[in-house]
Amino acid sequence: MMAERVESFRLKRPDEIEKMRAAGRILGACLAHVAAAVRPGITTLDLDREADTFIRDHGCIPGFIGYNNFPNALCVSVDDEVVHGIPGKRVLRDGNLVSLDCGLILDGWWADSGLSVPCGEPADGVRRLIDVTRTALDHGIAAAQPGHHIGDIGHAVQTYVESEGYSVVRQYVGHGIGRNMHEPPQVPNYGRPGSGNLIKPGYVLAIEPMVNAGDPEVHVLEDGWTVVTDDGRLSSYAEHTVAITEDGPQVLTLRPEPAVAER
Ligand code: MG
Ligand code: MG
Protein backbone atom coordinates (compact mmCIF):
# COMPACT_ATOMS: atom_id res chain seq x y z
CA MET A 1 0.00 0.00 0.00
CA MET A 2 1.08 3.56 -0.52
CA ALA A 3 2.38 5.19 2.64
CA GLU A 4 0.50 8.42 2.09
CA ARG A 5 -0.84 8.67 5.63
CA VAL A 6 1.67 9.79 8.24
CA GLU A 7 0.66 8.51 11.64
CA SER A 8 2.25 8.69 15.05
CA PHE A 9 5.24 6.46 15.52
CA ARG A 10 6.94 5.03 18.56
CA LEU A 11 8.95 1.96 19.41
CA LYS A 12 6.88 -1.09 20.34
CA ARG A 13 7.33 -2.76 23.70
CA PRO A 14 7.92 -6.54 23.83
CA ASP A 15 4.34 -7.15 25.05
CA GLU A 16 3.04 -5.13 22.11
CA ILE A 17 5.18 -7.12 19.70
CA GLU A 18 3.61 -10.28 21.13
CA LYS A 19 0.16 -8.88 20.29
CA MET A 20 1.35 -8.13 16.77
CA ARG A 21 2.76 -11.65 16.55
CA ALA A 22 -0.68 -13.03 17.41
CA ALA A 23 -2.19 -10.97 14.60
CA GLY A 24 0.62 -11.98 12.25
CA ARG A 25 0.20 -15.67 12.93
CA ILE A 26 -3.44 -15.52 11.87
CA LEU A 27 -2.56 -13.54 8.77
CA GLY A 28 0.12 -16.08 7.85
CA ALA A 29 -2.41 -18.87 8.14
CA CYS A 30 -4.93 -16.85 6.13
CA LEU A 31 -2.48 -16.29 3.28
CA ALA A 32 -1.46 -19.97 3.24
CA HIS A 33 -5.15 -20.82 2.98
CA VAL A 34 -5.80 -18.34 0.16
CA ALA A 35 -2.61 -19.27 -1.72
CA ALA A 36 -3.65 -22.91 -1.64
CA ALA A 37 -6.99 -21.92 -3.24
CA VAL A 38 -5.31 -20.34 -6.30
CA ARG A 39 -6.13 -22.51 -9.31
CA PRO A 40 -7.33 -22.13 -12.89
CA GLY A 41 -11.06 -21.27 -13.06
CA ILE A 42 -11.35 -19.47 -9.72
CA THR A 43 -12.14 -15.74 -9.72
CA THR A 44 -10.19 -13.11 -7.87
CA LEU A 45 -13.38 -12.35 -5.91
CA ASP A 46 -13.53 -16.02 -4.83
CA LEU A 47 -10.07 -15.55 -3.28
CA ASP A 48 -11.23 -12.40 -1.52
CA ARG A 49 -14.21 -14.30 -0.04
CA GLU A 50 -11.82 -16.96 1.28
CA ALA A 51 -9.67 -14.30 2.96
CA ASP A 52 -12.60 -12.32 4.34
CA THR A 53 -14.24 -15.40 5.87
CA PHE A 54 -10.97 -16.71 7.32
CA ILE A 55 -10.18 -13.37 8.98
CA ARG A 56 -13.62 -12.97 10.56
CA ASP A 57 -13.74 -16.63 11.64
CA HIS A 58 -10.53 -15.99 13.59
CA GLY A 59 -11.92 -12.95 15.42
CA CYS A 60 -10.03 -10.36 13.39
CA ILE A 61 -11.06 -7.36 11.30
CA PRO A 62 -10.24 -7.35 7.55
CA GLY A 63 -8.20 -4.17 7.69
CA PHE A 64 -8.13 -3.35 3.99
CA ILE A 65 -11.92 -2.92 3.74
CA GLY A 66 -12.62 0.79 3.76
CA TYR A 67 -8.94 1.74 3.95
CA ASN A 68 -8.94 4.83 1.74
CA ASN A 69 -12.22 3.32 0.45
CA PHE A 70 -10.63 0.08 -0.78
CA PRO A 71 -13.63 -2.27 -1.17
CA ASN A 72 -12.22 -5.71 -0.26
CA ALA A 73 -10.26 -7.74 2.31
CA LEU A 74 -7.59 -8.84 -0.15
CA CYS A 75 -5.63 -7.30 -3.01
CA VAL A 76 -5.22 -9.66 -5.98
CA SER A 77 -2.81 -8.52 -8.70
CA VAL A 78 -2.30 -10.68 -11.80
CA ASP A 79 0.70 -10.80 -14.19
CA ASP A 80 1.61 -7.18 -15.08
CA GLU A 81 -0.42 -5.89 -12.12
CA VAL A 82 2.05 -4.96 -9.38
CA VAL A 83 -0.11 -4.36 -6.28
CA HIS A 84 -3.55 -3.11 -5.17
CA GLY A 85 -5.60 -5.14 -7.67
CA ILE A 86 -9.31 -5.08 -6.75
CA PRO A 87 -10.93 -8.54 -6.58
CA GLY A 88 -13.71 -9.10 -9.09
CA LYS A 89 -15.01 -11.34 -11.86
CA ARG A 90 -11.63 -12.00 -13.45
CA VAL A 91 -11.10 -15.74 -13.88
CA LEU A 92 -7.58 -16.97 -13.19
CA ARG A 93 -5.96 -19.05 -15.90
CA ASP A 94 -3.17 -21.59 -16.11
CA GLY A 95 0.17 -19.79 -16.11
CA ASN A 96 -0.91 -16.58 -14.35
CA LEU A 97 1.33 -14.95 -11.75
CA VAL A 98 -0.98 -14.09 -8.84
CA SER A 99 0.06 -11.61 -6.13
CA LEU A 100 -1.91 -11.69 -2.87
CA ASP A 101 -1.72 -8.89 -0.30
CA CYS A 102 -3.75 -8.91 2.92
CA GLY A 103 -3.98 -7.02 6.20
CA LEU A 104 -5.89 -7.63 9.40
CA ILE A 105 -6.39 -6.14 12.84
CA LEU A 106 -6.46 -8.12 16.11
CA ASP A 107 -7.04 -6.27 19.38
CA GLY A 108 -6.13 -3.01 17.66
CA TRP A 109 -2.83 -4.26 16.22
CA TRP A 110 -2.15 -4.64 12.50
CA ALA A 111 -0.44 -7.32 10.46
CA ASP A 112 0.34 -6.86 6.74
CA SER A 113 1.76 -9.54 4.47
CA GLY A 114 1.58 -11.08 1.02
CA LEU A 115 3.14 -13.30 -1.57
CA SER A 116 3.05 -14.18 -5.25
CA VAL A 117 2.14 -17.67 -6.44
CA PRO A 118 1.76 -19.29 -9.84
CA CYS A 119 -1.71 -20.37 -10.97
CA GLY A 120 -1.47 -23.93 -12.26
CA GLU A 121 1.60 -24.51 -14.38
CA PRO A 122 3.69 -21.31 -14.31
CA ALA A 123 4.28 -19.55 -17.64
CA ASP A 124 7.82 -18.76 -18.81
CA GLY A 125 9.66 -16.56 -16.34
CA VAL A 126 7.00 -16.70 -13.62
CA ARG A 127 8.75 -19.17 -11.32
CA ARG A 128 12.11 -17.43 -11.41
CA LEU A 129 10.60 -13.97 -10.85
CA ILE A 130 8.65 -15.23 -7.83
CA ASP A 131 11.73 -16.94 -6.40
CA VAL A 132 13.93 -13.88 -6.83
CA THR A 133 11.28 -11.69 -5.17
CA ARG A 134 11.00 -14.05 -2.22
CA THR A 135 14.78 -14.17 -1.85
CA ALA A 136 14.92 -10.37 -2.10
CA LEU A 137 12.55 -10.19 0.87
CA ASP A 138 14.86 -12.54 2.80
CA HIS A 139 17.80 -10.24 2.03
CA GLY A 140 15.79 -7.22 3.20
CA ILE A 141 14.80 -8.94 6.43
CA ALA A 142 18.40 -10.02 7.09
CA ALA A 143 19.50 -6.37 6.74
CA ALA A 144 16.91 -5.16 9.27
CA GLN A 145 19.27 -5.45 12.25
CA PRO A 146 19.51 -3.15 15.26
CA GLY A 147 22.31 -0.67 14.52
CA HIS A 148 21.72 -0.77 10.77
CA HIS A 149 19.81 1.93 8.89
CA ILE A 150 16.60 1.81 6.88
CA GLY A 151 18.64 2.41 3.71
CA ASP A 152 20.52 -0.84 4.33
CA ILE A 153 17.28 -2.77 3.81
CA GLY A 154 16.56 -1.20 0.43
CA HIS A 155 20.17 -1.49 -0.60
CA ALA A 156 20.16 -5.23 0.12
CA VAL A 157 16.91 -5.72 -1.82
CA GLN A 158 17.91 -3.61 -4.82
CA THR A 159 21.44 -4.97 -5.14
CA TYR A 160 20.22 -8.55 -5.19
CA VAL A 161 17.26 -7.92 -7.54
CA GLU A 162 19.37 -6.02 -10.07
CA SER A 163 22.09 -8.69 -9.95
CA GLU A 164 19.39 -11.10 -11.15
CA GLY A 165 18.51 -8.81 -14.08
CA TYR A 166 15.22 -7.49 -12.68
CA SER A 167 14.20 -4.08 -11.31
CA VAL A 168 12.61 -2.76 -8.11
CA VAL A 169 9.55 -0.50 -8.08
CA ARG A 170 10.28 2.97 -6.67
CA GLN A 171 6.84 4.57 -6.32
CA TYR A 172 5.58 2.15 -3.64
CA VAL A 173 7.46 1.30 -0.49
CA GLY A 174 7.32 -0.64 2.75
CA HIS A 175 6.46 1.04 6.02
CA GLY A 176 6.34 0.99 9.77
CA ILE A 177 3.27 -0.75 11.20
CA GLY A 178 1.54 -0.98 14.57
CA ARG A 179 -1.82 0.42 15.63
CA ASN A 180 -1.94 1.83 12.09
CA MET A 181 -1.17 -0.07 8.91
CA HIS A 182 1.08 2.72 7.70
CA GLU A 183 3.40 4.41 10.16
CA PRO A 184 6.79 6.03 9.70
CA PRO A 185 9.36 5.28 8.55
CA GLN A 186 8.92 4.48 4.88
CA VAL A 187 10.98 1.44 3.82
CA PRO A 188 11.99 1.77 0.15
CA ASN A 189 13.22 -1.22 -1.86
CA TYR A 190 16.23 0.81 -2.96
CA GLY A 191 18.71 2.90 -1.04
CA ARG A 192 22.17 3.74 0.08
CA PRO A 193 23.87 1.88 2.92
CA GLY A 194 23.85 3.88 6.15
CA SER A 195 21.06 6.25 5.01
CA GLY A 196 17.75 6.84 6.75
CA ASN A 197 16.64 6.07 10.30
CA LEU A 198 18.83 4.09 12.65
CA ILE A 199 17.03 0.77 13.27
CA LYS A 200 16.43 0.03 16.96
CA PRO A 201 14.78 -2.79 18.90
CA GLY A 202 11.06 -1.98 18.95
CA TYR A 203 10.80 -1.07 15.30
CA VAL A 204 8.16 -3.10 13.48
CA LEU A 205 8.43 -2.84 9.69
CA ALA A 206 6.46 -4.14 6.74
CA ILE A 207 9.16 -4.99 4.21
CA GLU A 208 7.68 -5.52 0.75
CA PRO A 209 9.80 -5.80 -2.39
CA MET A 210 7.90 -5.29 -5.66
CA VAL A 211 10.03 -6.73 -8.45
CA ASN A 212 9.50 -6.13 -12.17
CA ALA A 213 10.76 -8.43 -14.92
CA GLY A 214 11.37 -5.36 -17.10
CA ASP A 215 11.59 -1.65 -16.32
CA PRO A 216 10.75 -0.27 -12.85
CA GLU A 217 8.14 2.27 -14.00
CA VAL A 218 4.49 1.71 -13.01
CA HIS A 219 1.17 3.55 -13.23
CA VAL A 220 -2.33 3.33 -11.76
CA LEU A 221 -5.31 2.17 -13.84
CA GLU A 222 -8.57 4.14 -14.14
CA ASP A 223 -10.08 2.19 -11.22
CA GLY A 224 -7.87 4.36 -9.03
CA TRP A 225 -6.15 1.38 -7.39
CA THR A 226 -4.60 -1.23 -9.66
CA VAL A 227 -0.89 -0.55 -10.18
CA VAL A 228 0.52 -2.00 -13.43
CA THR A 229 3.93 -2.01 -15.10
CA ASP A 230 4.38 0.59 -17.85
CA ASP A 231 5.99 -2.00 -20.15
CA GLY A 232 3.30 -4.64 -19.59
CA ARG A 233 5.79 -7.21 -18.33
CA LEU A 234 5.38 -9.35 -15.21
CA SER A 235 5.67 -8.09 -11.64
CA SER A 236 5.96 -10.04 -8.41
CA TYR A 237 5.63 -9.13 -4.74
CA ALA A 238 6.42 -10.47 -1.27
CA GLU A 239 5.80 -8.90 2.15
CA HIS A 240 6.27 -9.73 5.81
CA THR A 241 5.67 -7.77 8.99
CA VAL A 242 8.99 -7.91 10.85
CA ALA A 243 9.77 -6.95 14.46
CA ILE A 244 13.30 -5.77 15.28
CA THR A 245 14.47 -7.19 18.60
CA GLU A 246 17.76 -7.13 20.52
CA ASP A 247 18.45 -10.50 18.89
CA GLY A 248 17.68 -9.31 15.36
CA PRO A 249 14.68 -9.36 13.03
CA GLN A 250 11.73 -11.68 13.71
CA VAL A 251 9.07 -12.35 11.06
CA LEU A 252 5.65 -11.95 12.70
CA THR A 253 3.63 -13.15 9.69
CA LEU A 254 5.17 -16.60 9.26
CA ARG A 255 3.01 -19.00 7.28
CA PRO A 256 2.52 -22.62 8.26
CA GLU A 257 4.24 -24.98 5.83
CA PRO A 258 5.60 -22.13 3.67
CA ALA A 259 7.06 -24.56 1.15
CA VAL A 260 3.53 -25.74 0.40
CA ALA A 261 1.90 -22.33 0.38
CA GLU A 262 4.47 -20.79 -1.90
CA ARG A 263 4.89 -23.55 -4.44
MG1 MG B 1 2.44 -3.11 3.37
MG1 MG C 1 0.53 -5.40 2.22
Side-chain angles (χ1 to χ4, degrees), residues 11-261:
L11 298 176
K12 276 71 181 177
R13 299 188 308 262
D15 63 301
E16 294 173 326
I17 289 175
E18 289 316 305
K19 290 178 179 173
M20 295 187 73
R21 194 190 310 276
R25 195 173 287 131
I26 295 170
L27 182 55
C30 175
L31 282 164
H33 172 74
V34 175
V38 172
R39 61 177 182 274
I42 200 168
T43 70
T44 56
L45 188 62
D46 292 333
L47 296 177
D48 175 69
R49 296 295 90 198
E50 293 290 337
D52 190 289
T53 301
F54 191 101
I55 290 167
R56 294 179 199 276
D57 283 353
H58 288 77
C60 301
I61 299 168
F64 285 6
I65 297 177
Y67 190 89
N68 291 346
N69 297 316
F70 190 80
N72 293 85
L74 182 73
C75 297
V76 186
S77 309
V78 182
D79 290 345
D80 64 320
E81 297 173 355
V82 181
V83 285
H84 303 171
I86 301 173
K89 293 176 181 170
R90 180 172 187 167
V91 178
L92 295 179
R93 299 194 313 196
D94 203 41
N96 282 148
L97 189 166
V98 183
S99 299
L100 309 167
D101 182 7
C102 196
L104 60 75
I105 307 164
L106 177 64
D107 296 334
W109 294 95
W110 275 83
D112 183 15
S113 182
L115 74 163
S116 292
V117 291
C119 179
E121 193 59 35
D124 277 356
V126 166
R127 166 55 60 205
R128 181 167 170 265
L129 183 61
I130 290 174
D131 287 347
V132 166
T133 306
R134 177 56 219 233
T135 303
L137 174 58
D138 290 340
H139 284 294
I141 293 168
Q145 302 285 345
H148 288 197
H149 290 258
I150 292 293
D152 295 323
I153 298 173
H155 180 74
V157 169
Q158 180 180 23
T159 303
Y160 169 70
V161 166
E162 293 181 352
S163 78
E164 292 291 330
Y166 297 140
S167 67
V168 292
V169 171
R170 271 71 162 171
Q171 287 103 312
Y172 298 86
V173 297
H175 49 92
I177 181 168
R179 287 200 173 275
N180 308 287
M181 175 161 58
H182 292 140
E183 299 182 354
Q186 293 196 351
V187 184
N189 294 303
Y190 56 91
R192 285 181 294 108
S195 67
N197 287 23
L198 180 68
I199 301 171
K200 301 171 190 168
Y203 268 65
V204 182
L205 304 172
I207 302 174
E208 49 180 312
M210 287 151 265
V211 177
N212 290 354
D215 294 331
E217 287 77 23
V218 300
H219 63 276
V220 180
L221 296 183
E222 281 181 6
D223 64 16
W225 279 103
T226 311
V227 179
V228 298
T229 58
D230 281 8
D231 62 12
R233 295 182 65 188
L234 294 173
S235 186
S236 175
Y237 149 88
E239 177 177 21
H240 273 309
T241 294
V242 180
I244 315 306
T245 73
E246 303 277 1
D247 299 326
Q250 292 183 358
V251 175
L252 302 184
T253 42
L254 285 174
R255 290 183 287 274
E257 299 181 68
V260 173

